[in-house]
Amino acid sequence: MSDITFDQRVAIVTGAGGGLGRSYALELARRGARVVVNDLGGAIDGTGGSTRPADLVVRDIVDRGGEAVANYDSVATPESGAAIVQTALDAFGTVDVVVNNAGILRDRSFGNLTIGELQAVVDVHLLGAFYVSLPAFPVMKEAGYGRFVFTSSNAGIFGNFGQTNYGAAKAGLVGFSNVLAIEGAKYNIKSNVIAPVARTRLTEELLGPLTELVDPDQVTPMVVYLCSETNQFTHEIFTAGGGRYGRIFVGTNQGWFSGMNVVPSVEEIRDHLDEIRDITDYEIPMSSTEEIMLIARAMGG
């Protein structure tokens, strides 16, 4: 089979000045993509800024014979999100791929969380993905082609102590991607989620002894595949880390059917909890409509 390439494709990678984003940008460029390397150049809590991280990645790409331009905007406002996409349009004329990777951390146990810490994290991770994707989507729609990759986290999907703000934002990206996959389907726009486990500035203190065993470059092949024209999957969540690659999914079981037009008592719910919770047989709905169809099926309709 032939190699996967990105000849003349244009990719935006946010938070590409280091870690995972840098690795994605380098590999996309190596395979022929023209890359917008976006990075604010701030600290892990989102404060400060510098042009150096993005510039260094662009230099690495150009030195290796690739094409790239830097962008230093934060993703955290509608105006800066639009500016990131405009950078791609001004430099390369279109946008084919968006990897929403930019992120910050302001970890705090829920009882001590401040509104400022909540807002800052949601602004970058969740709203930032909206602010970049909103202006990119119509460009892809007009072209009849596009690939989105949203960066979630096992903290958002499964939970992690001290990360309610981060976890909520990361879980929100799953819902965002799922709806975008449905709305983009007829325009050949695929949208998927990556939940990476890798050594980055944001994770070094969290991973402990695992840190040296989860190189960011190990996540990159999965992400680059999802960015490619070869990829025909959409509406999915993939995990990658330390050489392990898998699928995370949201499913529903057959459950317990109380009967048509029956309102069960609280005691009946208690008495049927084993059936309600049994995951021996399950399905993975690909839309809210498909989940509603399970109810109709239980009714015999």
Side-chain angles (χ1 to χ4, degrees), residues 50-113:
S50 170
T51 61
R52 180 174 170 78
D55 285 342
L56 287 176
V57 176
V58 169
R59 188 178 72 184
D60 283 347
I61 289 172
V62 173
D63 286 349
R64 300 175 191 188
E67 292 184 71
V69 294
N71 174 278
Y72 319 111
D73 287 288
S74 165
V75 299
T77 70
E79 296 77 15
S80 56
I84 293 167
V85 174
Q86 193 61 48
T87 297
L89 297 178
D90 290 344
F92 305 123
T94 192
V95 179
D96 300 298
V97 175
V98 172
V99 181
N100 285 296
N101 171 72
I104 65 170
L105 281 182
R106 296 197 184 180
D107 291 352
R108 192 81 62 191
S109 63
F110 185 61
N112 296 313
L113 183 70

Side-chain angles (χ1 to χ4, degrees), residues 2 6 51 81 101 133 164 189 207 212 251-252 260 269 272 293:
S2 60
F6 291 82
T51 61
N101 171 72
S133 302
T164 51
I189 297 173
L207 292 171
E212 297 305 317
T252 183
M260 187 84 73
I269 294 294
H272 288 89
M293 288 170 62

Side-chain angles (χ1 to χ4, degrees), residues 123-256:
D123 282 349
V124 173
H125 289 275
L126 182 56
L127 296 182
F130 272 93
Y131 296 150
V132 176
S133 302
L134 273 168
F137 184 77
V139 179
M140 296 178 179
K141 183 177 172 181
E142 179 67 24
Y145 180 87
R147 298 291 185 269
F148 285 97
V149 177
F150 292 87
T151 307
S152 185
S153 167
N154 52 19
I157 298 168
F158 304 118
N160 192 42
F161 185 90
Q163 293 192 306
T164 51
N165 52 357
Y166 181 81
K170 288 303 195 184
L173 289 169
V174 174
F176 181 4
S177 179
N178 286 346
V179 175
L180 195 57
I182 293 169
E183 294 190 7
K186 66 180 179 180
Y187 306 109
N188 191 25
I189 297 173
K190 315 295 184 188
S191 184
N192 291 286
V193 173
I194 186 73
V197 178
R199 179 182 66 253
T200 69
R201 289 193 306 161
L202 271 62
T203 62
E204 282 180 335
E205 294 184 8
L206 299 173
L207 292 171
L210 193 62
T211 301
E212 297 305 317
L213 303 176
V214 285
D215 193 285
D217 289 345
Q218 292 174 298
V219 177
T220 298
M222 186 81 245
V223 171
V224 171
Y225 175 79
L226 294 175
C227 291
S228 72
E229 188 171 353
T230 301
N231 170 48
Q232 295 301 306
F233 294 107
T234 192
H235 202 293
E236 298 200 6
I237 309 166
F238 295 92
T239 179
R244 174 184 172 268
Y245 306 88
R247 182 184 178 192
I248 297 171
F249 55 88
V250 178
T252 183
N253 64 356
Q254 294 304 310
W256 170 64

